[in-house]
């Protein structure tokens, strides 16, 4: 089984990664649903929503501000770096559910942020949008047009950025191999991407210490962490 996958990996032209919070876990960023999960301390279904934001913008902003500070203090890990290095040998696309920007900081150049980015803010009314460079004097921060600013992330019940989502589907439909790394595949529509890849005949490889909803559909499901498994796995390709 492994040999045949190894051959397919070496012959692959385009390799697509679908990643979730698990790939950043070894950078010290808590996952959502794990035992140390973010969702444990706060009820994310409450906080990562438009209603929570308008009900209690200060609380939601404090949550994102705390997460952003943790993220900026974190470093990409060997899993992020292995994916970035692969770009020397293959066409690589990263379709990430994460908002932490660690793939880009590791050197990946083709990253699609399906759920937005914690380091970008946008106005709730006008089309103002920019990268956050420092701290805010007050929470919630205000736009020049005097309306509230919000994190440029996709909340539950919100549509994914149309251009990013259609690109992601295109990539899933045109890859030879898809790695599904560090995601419980609990959140839609991102969890459809491995199904599109499988329909297009791609080989599916999962890297997750736990079983997921799609483990049985994978050509190979590796019960390991991404920082351990990815450098080894991708070294096959870098021949
Ligand atoms: C939409 C950004 C429609 C914000 C996030 C019922 C009620 C309400 C909504 C729904 C519902 N049923 C379905 C929905 C839709 C909903 C959804 O899927 N809900 C789920 C929870 C049931 N989806 C949406 O609302 C989406 N929008 O559908 O819009 C629409 C269409 C048109 C017009 C208008 C509307 C929007 C979803 C995006 C929500 N935003 N994040 C923020 O981050 O604050 S989701 C959030 O969960 C993160 O993005 C996260 O990435 C994502 C998924 O979680 P995972 O990444 O998979 O993380 P998780 O902790 O779950 O798993 C970690 C995995 O890693 C585990 O498997 C673990 O074993 C593994 N792991 C741990 N350590 C390691 C590891 N793996 C490798 N190495 C390790 N070291
Ligand atoms: Zn504005």
């Amino acid at each position: 089984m492994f040999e045949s996958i190894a051959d397919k990996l070496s012959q692959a032209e385009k390799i697509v990664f679908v990643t979730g919070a698990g790939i950043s876990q070894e950078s010290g960023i808590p996952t959502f649903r794990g035992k140390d999960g973010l969702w444990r301390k706060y009820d994310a279904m409450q906080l990562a929503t438009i209603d929570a934001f308008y009900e209690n913008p200060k609380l939601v902003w404090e949550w994102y501000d705390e997460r952003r500070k943790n993220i900026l203090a974190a470093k990409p890990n060997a899993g992020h770096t292995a994916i970035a290095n692969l770009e020397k040998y293959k066409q690589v696309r990263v379709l990430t559910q994460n908002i932490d920007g660690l793939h880009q900081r590791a050197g990946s150049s083709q990253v699609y942020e399906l759920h937005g980015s914690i380091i970008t803010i946008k106005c709730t009314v006008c089309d103002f949008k920019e990268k956050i460079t420092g701290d805010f004097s007050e929470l919630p921060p205000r736009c020049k047009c005097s309306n509230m600013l919000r994190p440029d992330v996709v909340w539950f019940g919100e549509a994914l950025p149309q251009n990013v989502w259609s690109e992601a589907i295109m990539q899933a439909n045109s890859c030879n191999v898809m790695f599904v790394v560090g995601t419980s595949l609990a959140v839609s529509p991102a969890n459809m991407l491995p199904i599109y890849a499988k329909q297009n005949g791609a080989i599916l490889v999962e890297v997750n210490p736990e079983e997921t909803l799609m483990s049985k559909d994978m050509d190979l499901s590796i019960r390991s962490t991404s920082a351990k498994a990815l450098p080894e796995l991708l070294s096959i390709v870098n021949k």
Side-chain angles (χ1 to χ4, degrees):
M1 163 66 109
F2 195 83
E3 289 63 46
S4 72
I5 302 279
D7 290 349
K8 296 245 171 46
L9 270 181
S10 322
Q11 292 147 21
E13 269 169 38
K14 181 190 280 187
I15 300 180
V16 166
F17 292 80
V18 171
T19 64
I23 197 168
S24 297
Q25 189 266 334
E26 285 157 294
S27 295
I29 297 173
T31 61
F32 290 84
R33 295 165 183 80
K35 40 197 175 317
D36 65 341
L38 271 174
W39 287 178
R40 290 279 170 276
K41 266 194 286 177
Y42 310 83
D43 177 356
M45 285 310 275
Q46 296 306 319
L47 283 181
T49 62
I50 279 259
D51 306 349
F53 179 69
Y54 281 104
E55 246 155 63
N56 193 338
K58 197 163 165 18
L59 173 68
V60 172
W61 256 108
E62 281 164 358
W63 184 46
Y64 277 96
D65 223 30
E66 181 193 331
R67 287 174 66 192
R68 187 168 47 87
K69 289 188 178 121
N70 287 343
I71 283 165
L72 291 176
K75 293 210 177 7
N77 62 57
H80 297 106
T81 309
I83 294 174
N85 289 341
L86 189 63
E87 288 189 6
K88 294 186 202 99
Y89 307 94
K90 299 283 179 188
Q91 276 187 59
V92 178
R93 302 285 184 278
V94 180
L95 315 178
T96 187
Q97 299 171 87
N98 299 339
I99 61 174
D100 58 33
L102 289 181
H103 283 297
Q104 294 93 322
R105 285 169 53 195
S108 285
S109 64
Q110 308 287 325
V111 181
Y112 299 82
E113 293 179 310
L114 304 171
H115 295 161
S117 163
I118 201 164
I119 54 171
T120 310
I121 38 169
K122 64 183 181 186
C123 181
T124 46
V125 174
C126 78
D127 56 5
F128 170 82
K129 184 185 270 200
E130 75 175 15
K131 287 228 174 302
I132 302 177
T133 47
D135 290 339
F136 298 108
S137 51
E138 58 148 358
L139 291 178
R142 295 258 160 208
C143 179
K144 287 189 283 297
C145 76
S146 84
N147 289 293
M148 272 194 300
L149 293 170
R150 58 165 283 182
D152 184 21
V153 299
V154 179
W155 279 325
F156 286 106
E158 288 189 314
L160 276 57
Q162 191 45 48
N163 53 335
V164 176
W165 180 237
S166 30
E167 259 300 308
I169 296 175
M170 218 274 284
Q171 297 303 338
N173 286 334
S174 63
C175 62
N176 308 104
V177 180
M178 176 179 275
F179 281 83
V180 181
V181 183
T183 177
S184 61
L185 293 170
V187 171
S188 64
N191 58 6
M192 296 298 294
L193 292 167
I195 295 165
Y196 296 146
K198 193 162 182 77
Q199 281 167 351
N200 114 60
I203 294 286
L204 290 187
V205 180
E206 180 178 56
V207 176
N208 195 321
E210 288 170 22
E211 184 120 343
T212 69
L213 306 168
M214 275 196 70
S215 293
K216 64 189 177 323
D217 307 297
M218 300 289 162
D219 294 284
L220 183 63
S221 188
I222 299 170
R223 286 287 155 275
S224 172
T225 71
S226 44
K228 278 201 211 90
L230 284 180
E232 245 171 271
L233 258 177
L234 300 184
S235 66
I236 301 172
V237 183
N238 305 350
K239 284 213 174 47

